[in-house]
Amino acid sequence: MSDQRIRILFTGGGGAGTIEVIRALKATGRYYVIAADAGEHSAGFPLADKKYVIPWGIDPAFAAAMRAMLAREQPHFVVPLVDEEIPIVHRLVTEEFPTVKVVAPS
């Protein structure tokens, strides 16, 4: 990847707090922001560099969708903002993507 910006993947891309964080990060020009949300019309999507519609965190298909995003996007950081997604993201990163940093409680 030739883009030198820091790559950050957010889940819960439609949350009010997420939208403001995406806006602030993008304003610096230093971050490539990937937003993922279960809603196809997520309010954070227009602000992000890349968007993904993913299954709800309680859906058994969530882990596979997250795995595919992590492999495709290779973020430096992943910020899961939906409670049900946090343990799944921690497990995937620990087992399969050890260079990615998770910004969430363990």
Side-chain angles (χ1 to χ4, degrees), residues 19-79:
I19 293 165
E20 290 308 313
V21 170
I22 292 172
R23 186 175 281 127
L25 290 172
K26 293 291 297 169
T28 71
R30 296 176 42 211
Y31 299 92
Y32 182 90
V33 177
I34 305 130
D37 198 273
E40 67 180 84
H41 301 292
S42 171
F45 284 172
L47 303 171
D49 293 293
K50 185 78 175 198
K51 67 177 183 176
Y52 287 92
V53 177
I54 58 172
W56 294 95
I58 59 171
D59 187 316
F62 174 80
M66 180 59 70
R67 179 181 293 111
M69 272 192 307
L70 290 168
R72 187 175 304 116
E73 296 298 332
Q74 301 177 13
H76 297 99
F77 298 92
V78 60
V79 185

